[in-house]
Amino acid sequence: MANDQPPRPSRRGFLKAGGAAVAAGASLGAGLAPQAALAKAPAHLADPQLAVEPFYGLHQAGIVTPQQSHTYVAALDLTTDKRDEVIALLRTWTEAAARLTQGGTAAALPTGDAGDSKPAPDSGDVLGLGPNGLTITFGFGPGLFTKDGKDRYGLAARRPAALVDLPRFNGDQLIPEKTGGDIYIQACANDQQVAFHAVRQLTRLAYGTAAMRWGQSGFLSGPRGQTPRNLMGFKDGTNNPSTAKPELMKEFVWAGATADAPWMEGGTYTVVRRIRITIEHWDNMELGFQEQVFGRHKYSGAPIGRQNEFDAVDLKEEDKDGNPVIPENSHVRLSNQASNDGAQILRRSYSYNDGTNFYIERWPPWRQETEYDAGLIFVAHQSDPRKGFIPINDRLAKFDMMNQFTTHVGSAIFAVPPGAKPGSYIGAGLFET
Amino acid sequence: MANDQPPRPSRRGFLKAGGAAVAAGASLGAGLAPQAALAKAPAHLADPQLAVEPFYGLHQAGIVTPQQSHTYVAALDLTTDKRDEVIALLRTWTEAAARLTQGGTAAALPTGDAGDSKPAPDSGDVLGLGPNGLTITFGFGPGLFTKDGKDRYGLAARRPAALVDLPRFNGDQLIPEKTGGDIYIQACANDQQVAFHAVRQLTRLAYGTAAMRWGQSGFLSGPRGQTPRNLMGFKDGTNNPSTAKPELMKEFVWAGATADAPWMEGGTYTVVRRIRITIEHWDNMELGFQEQVFGRHKYSGAPIGRQNEFDAVDLKEEDKDGNPVIPENSHVRLSNQASNDGAQILRRSYSYNDGTNFYIERWPPWRQETEYDAGLIFVAHQSDPRKGFIPINDRLAKFDMMNQFTTHVGSAIFAVPPGAKPGSYIGAGLFET
């Protein structure tokens, strides 16, 4: 980094104050401000590294929060058979997450010789960095409720019907060690190391109770004020329901108080898919064909035949020969609300880039070669996946022209409970009501 | 990204101008300003996304350039047997790199129907993003000179003696598909997608002439104006020779005009090592032990027993019992100039984070489990690796306490030629003098 810029307020302050500043910082996040209101507030300060997002609230942060530039998403498997240990873990995590999101360390750092003789409670690799708008979001996978037919924690009867096991979709090529998980942790921040740091500390706090199943780093490079482009070069997220409209969030994103899972009120259901993109192949496609695949123009983001990104998608429009202007098998048509009985989901995806691997090519001329291991960490939040991701992806998996260039290699679904009140913990409603 | 921030000057302008603006932009980088002078200039504008680094110059950029926040490093293997095709590739790359670093696309984008019927010359995924201080650095591996005993391009006699094949170091566990390569491309930028975009376009331009061998994304999260911390939580780079001192750069970084390779004058030799860190293991070590391993205090970065990061490292200092204050097998002692006959190298490393993989643990209790695939992309520039990386790493590989926590899994060495003059190309001195 440059050496000619002034220092700035930092996590270092918390070190010097021996943790006292953390308590003060945490109060920034106290209270039960609805996330909908947060979404309307200025999302990033002038300096995104100094941005702070509240941790406590009616909803968990990181769902309707304006998307930060980086993420680290992870799923852990519970290794304990004791309900109390799961509760203790959620309490520990809640407190640590409140500290971390407000710019603190996972726990107060010991000082002097006393600290030398034991592992530090924080890896220290983001000391000096700002809070960077960090949000930490927790979710519960099917395995928390029943696993291998066993009701490990007395929660089987409380599993929401909406937390379905995802069906196998056409073309799925799921890798077990990138799929599933009992607990979801999603850390998003305006800095890559800050996002990873959060999951790293939380995972360490789970030692002996839960173990990492998969973790993945992601990023999003968007021009400010514009819809970001994914690695295919197209704008991604244009047609998302607006987080500024609480009525849309209520209908499509937030779970209601269903009879089977009243504890999920104010939560959401999150689907994560690791989608590898055959970038080399895609880059050699004609521009016009790429646009037919998406159903949008590449540079403007406008629906085909239109000028502006936010022009309405008219699925009924035909050209002079009577053919649809937006192709039948285009991504935009198949995923559109009008093609899916009005269903909408809130996508909050990130690109991933894990360098290269040596692969056997899956398209002619079937060469063996080094290829990019890159693509999309698709993340979608919804009030009920049975009306959201599942029917939409079922249609896409069968018909989307884009499937020539994408492979779903990881998959998971989680019930993301509502936010916590200060003094309580994430998931308290599940265990204690 | 937030939707409440003003738009900014962007790559989009180049699109509208049909490439004309690129030519104007490229002239920003014209002339032969020595990199030493660049290093003294303000490294980043107020907005790092708008920063522009010159491409043309006496030296290539990306060596003494203040370190940007992200990198994508790659090595390609030449697949042609024609010298002219290698030269043509270097010409194409030079022109594309000049455009990309100045905020342009790899080539002018076609407009209208004419463009629809062929692949676009640029993937378009960073349209709207700024230049982000992008630098692109090219290097030549041993395989350009001879491969499998064959002098493919009539260059065998011009191979510099300093471009040695690296010896096998103690503990090396090199993976062939992460090791070696005929050509090196190092893209560094203040944005992850911009860095990857550059390598992606250049690799595509090499289609049929060179193919990707390995590629790797890296990042560096440093508090502004401070030495960044690596994933072990320690400051990394404190003892680097100062890029602000041309005499140090001349001695330790820039290659001179040796009799065997006069064309390398103003170039450098670059070693890249992929070093996996066993983060889970490291995090469970006592803080005091971690500091013994490094020979520095973790939070301040000061040498053990000192207060401030930049306090001199005194290898002779002893405690009251006559034991060395800086431990015998500490990283700082073994890598110090005084332990290596005065040798210094310019480290310009990045962290990498490729999520998790399912591994068999290499330390007790030998469990099988999901572990982080993360660590350091070590990059070091030097005037002669026989006096730089090789003796230093030989000592480290044998004695460094840190080896308990690190594994070198990838390795490569390259001769990085001097910069190009406008109108010429990177490597012209090798092929044409």
Side-chain angles (χ1 to χ4, degrees):
Chain A
M1 303 297 283
N3 287 318
D4 52 3
Q5 291 174 334
R8 58 192 158 125
S10 73
R11 287 173 191 261
R12 181 177 298 270
F14 297 115
L15 175 61
K16 288 187 180 146
V22 173
S27 70
L28 292 171
L32 287 171
Q35 290 297 102
L38 300 177
K40 278 182 220 158
H44 295 254
L45 302 180
D47 186 342
Q49 302 176 317
L50 301 181
V52 180
E53 294 287 343
F55 177 74
Y56 294 105
L58 281 181
H59 307 297
Q60 289 196 67
I63 300 164
V64 297
T65 308
Q67 215 169 340
Q68 300 97 322
S69 64
H70 288 81
T71 196
Y72 195 94
V73 289
L76 289 83
D77 283 334
L78 290 161
T79 54
T80 181
D81 56 5
K82 297 194 177 62
R83 176 185 171 110
D84 284 353
E85 289 187 0
V86 178
I87 293 173
L89 176 62
L90 291 170
R91 281 197 182 276
T92 300
W93 272 353
T94 299
E95 283 160 30
R99 292 174 61 101
L100 289 164
T101 55
Q102 307 309 303
T105 48
L109 297 177
T111 51
D113 293 342
D116 285 357
S117 58
K118 48 184 178 181
D122 188 289
S123 58
D125 59 296
V126 299
L127 289 171
L129 300 179
N132 278 286
L134 175 67
T135 56
I136 299 173
T137 316
F138 297 98
F140 301 144
L144 175 67
F145 301 91
T146 44
K147 196 155 198 174
D148 303 328
K150 217 173 137 185
D151 181 3
R152 294 188 288 175
Y153 312 115
L155 297 171
R158 313 208 77 192
R159 177 172 172 173
L163 183 65
V164 291
D165 293 310
L166 288 176
R168 187 189 181 281
F169 295 99
N170 191 42
D172 272 4
Q173 298 192 21
L174 305 184
I175 301 167
E177 62 260 33
K178 305 280 181 197
T179 296
D182 296 341
I183 306 261
Y184 177 55
I185 306 179
Q186 170 192 292
C188 302
N190 296 318
D191 179 278
Q192 185 167 359
Q193 196 148 323
V194 168
F196 175 56
H197 173 265
V199 172
R200 176 178 173 179
Q201 313 315 309
L202 295 172
T203 302
R204 205 175 140 221
L205 288 168
Y207 214 69
T209 307
M212 180 70 87
R213 183 174 178 87
W214 55 261
Q216 182 58 49
S217 192
F219 65 100
L220 185 76
S221 295
R224 292 173 194 139
Q226 298 175 35
T227 311
R229 292 178 188 275
N230 61 27
L231 289 177
M232 295 179 114
F234 280 75
K235 297 187 176 191
D236 194 344
T238 300
N239 231 354
N240 251 344
S242 171
T243 55
K245 295 186 176 163
E247 69 279 12
L248 288 181
M249 295 302 99
K250 192 178 172 201
E251 181 175 0
F252 295 113
V253 176
W254 301 126
T258 55
D260 64 318
W263 59 273
M264 272 295 289
E265 183 175 15
T268 190
Y269 293 90
T270 300
V271 172
V272 183
R273 306 278 286 186
R274 181 187 173 100
I275 305 175
R276 190 178 157 225
I277 300 174
T278 55
I279 288 177
E280 300 89 342
H281 187 29
W282 177 250
D283 280 349
N284 282 328
M285 293 298 109
E286 295 82 356
L287 177 61
F289 176 72
Q290 288 189 352
E291 296 187 335
Q292 296 282 310
V293 168
F294 269 84
R296 287 187 180 275
H297 292 297
K298 189 168 191 179
Y299 301 133
S300 65
I304 288 184
R306 302 284 170 174
Q307 295 300 312
N308 301 306
E309 179 188 351
F310 292 100
D311 287 348
V313 174
D314 180 357
L315 297 180
K316 293 186 181 141
E317 195 175 8
E318 297 181 345
D319 66 16
K320 59 181 166 42
D321 299 321
N323 295 316
V325 171
I326 309 278
E328 291 291 357
N329 290 350
S330 65
H331 189 72
V332 152
R333 175 183 291 273
L334 294 167
S335 61
N336 191 271
Q337 191 175 13
S339 305
N340 292 284
D341 295 326
Q344 288 200 64
I345 56 180
L346 181 65
R347 287 162 291 147
R348 204 169 181 285
S349 302
Y350 286 89
S351 294
Y352 79 90
N353 194 332
D354 285 0
T356 56
N357 271 312
F358 190 78
Y359 290 102
I360 295 169
E361 252 189 12
R362 58 183 279 272
W363 65 84
W366 314 109
R367 286 175 305 192
Q368 299 182 18
E369 63 177 18
T370 297
E371 292 171 10
Y372 298 121
D373 185 3
L376 194 73
I377 297 294
F378 172 91
V379 178
H381 306 294
Q382 60 229 279
S383 50
D384 188 337
R386 294 169 298 179
K387 298 177 198 160
F389 176 78
I390 293 174
I392 294 172
N393 195 55
D394 182 65
R395 184 177 305 266
L396 289 171
K398 285 175 180 155
F399 302 116
D400 192 353
M401 279 196 280
M402 198 186 289
N403 297 336
Q404 294 175 61
F405 307 95
T406 56
T407 314
H408 291 233
V409 295
S411 177
I413 185 169
F414 303 100
V416 170
K421 295 179 195 179
S424 184
Y425 62 94
I426 298 287
L430 168 62
F431 287 91
E432 300 188 1
T433 56
Chain B
M1 303 297 284
N3 286 319
D4 52 5
Q5 290 174 336
R8 57 194 159 124
S10 72
R11 287 173 191 259
R12 182 177 299 269
F14 297 115
L15 174 61
K16 287 186 181 148
V22 173
S27 71
L28 291 171
L32 286 170
Q35 290 297 102
L38 301 176
K40 280 181 218 159
H44 294 255
L45 303 179
D47 185 342
Q49 302 176 318
L50 300 182
V52 180
E53 294 287 343
F55 176 74
Y56 294 105
L58 281 180
H59 308 297
Q60 289 195 66
I63 300 163
V64 297
T65 307
Q67 215 168 339
Q68 301 95 324
S69 63
H70 288 82
T71 196
Y72 194 93
V73 289
L76 289 84
D77 283 335
L78 290 161
T79 54
T80 181
D81 56 4
K82 298 194 176 63
R83 177 185 169 111
D84 284 352
E85 289 188 0
V86 178
I87 293 173
L89 176 62
L90 291 170
R91 281 198 181 276
T92 300
W93 272 351
T94 300
E95 284 159 31
R99 292 174 61 101
L100 289 164
T101 55
Q102 306 309 305
T105 49
L109 298 177
T111 51
D113 292 344
D116 285 357
S117 58
K118 48 185 178 181
D122 188 290
S123 58
D125 60 296
V126 300
L127 289 172
L129 301 179
N132 279 285
L134 175 67
T135 56
I136 299 173
T137 316
F138 296 98
F140 301 144
L144 175 67
F145 301 91
T146 44
K147 196 154 198 175
D148 303 327
K150 218 173 138 185
D151 180 3
R152 294 189 286 175
Y153 313 115
L155 297 171
R158 314 208 76 193
R159 176 172 172 174
L163 184 65
V164 292
D165 293 309
L166 288 175
R168 186 188 182 282
F169 296 99
N170 192 42
D172 272 4
Q173 299 192 19
L174 304 185
I175 301 167
E177 62 261 33
K178 305 280 182 198
T179 295
D182 296 341
I183 307 262
Y184 176 54
I185 305 179
Q186 169 193 293
C188 302
N190 297 318
D191 178 278
Q192 184 167 359
Q193 194 148 325
V194 168
F196 175 55
H197 173 265
V199 172
R200 176 177 173 181
Q201 313 314 308
L202 296 172
T203 302
R204 205 176 139 219
L205 288 169
Y207 213 70
T209 307
M212 181 69 88
R213 184 175 176 87
W214 54 260
Q216 182 59 48
S217 193
F219 65 99
L220 185 76
S221 295
R224 292 173 194 140
Q226 297 176 35
T227 311
R229 293 178 187 274
N230 61 27
L231 289 176
M232 294 180 115
F234 280 76
K235 297 185 178 193
D236 193 344
T238 300
N239 232 353
N240 250 345
S242 170
T243 55
K245 295 185 177 164
E247 69 279 12
L248 288 181
M249 296 301 99
K250 192 179 171 201
E251 181 176 0
F252 294 114
V253 177
W254 301 127
T258 56
D260 65 319
W263 59 273
M264 272 295 289
E265 183 176 13
T268 190
Y269 293 90
T270 300
V271 172
V272 183
R273 304 279 285 185
R274 181 187 173 100
I275 306 175
R276 191 177 157 226
I277 301 173
T278 54
I279 289 177
E280 301 88 342
H281 187 30
W282 177 250
D283 280 349
N284 282 328
M285 295 296 109
E286 295 82 356
L287 177 60
F289 175 72
Q290 289 189 351
E291 296 186 335
Q292 297 283 308
V293 168
F294 268 84
R296 288 187 179 274
H297 292 297
K298 188 168 192 178
Y299 301 133
S300 66
I304 289 182
R306 302 286 170 174
Q307 294 300 312
N308 301 307
E309 178 188 351
F310 292 100
D311 286 349
V313 175
D314 180 357
L315 297 180
K316 295 187 178 137
E317 195 176 10
E318 297 180 345
D319 66 15
K320 58 182 168 40
D321 300 322
N323 295 316
V325 172
I326 309 277
E328 292 291 358
N329 291 350
S330 65
H331 189 73
V332 153
R333 175 183 290 273
L334 293 168
S335 61
N336 192 272
Q337 192 176 13
S339 305
N340 292 282
D341 296 324
Q344 287 201 64
I345 56 180
L346 181 65
R347 287 162 291 146
R348 203 170 181 283
S349 302
Y350 286 89
S351 295
Y352 79 89
N353 194 332
D354 285 0
T356 55
N357 271 312
F358 190 78
Y359 290 103
I360 297 168
E361 253 188 11
R362 57 182 280 271
W363 64 85
W366 314 108
R367 285 175 305 190
Q368 299 183 17
E369 63 177 17
T370 297
E371 293 172 10
Y372 298 121
D373 184 3
L376 193 72
I377 297 293
F378 172 92
V379 178
H381 306 294
Q382 60 230 281
S383 51
D384 189 337
R386 294 169 298 180
K387 299 178 197 158
F389 176 77
I390 292 173
I392 295 171
N393 194 56
D394 182 66
R395 185 177 304 268
L396 289 170
K398 286 175 179 153
F399 303 116
D400 192 354
M401 279 197 281
M402 197 185 289
N403 296 336
Q404 294 174 62
F405 307 95
T406 56
T407 314
H408 292 233
V409 294
S411 177
I413 184 169
F414 304 99
V416 171
K421 294 180 196 179
S424 183
Y425 61 95
I426 298 288
L430 169 61
F431 287 92
E432 301 187 3
T433 57

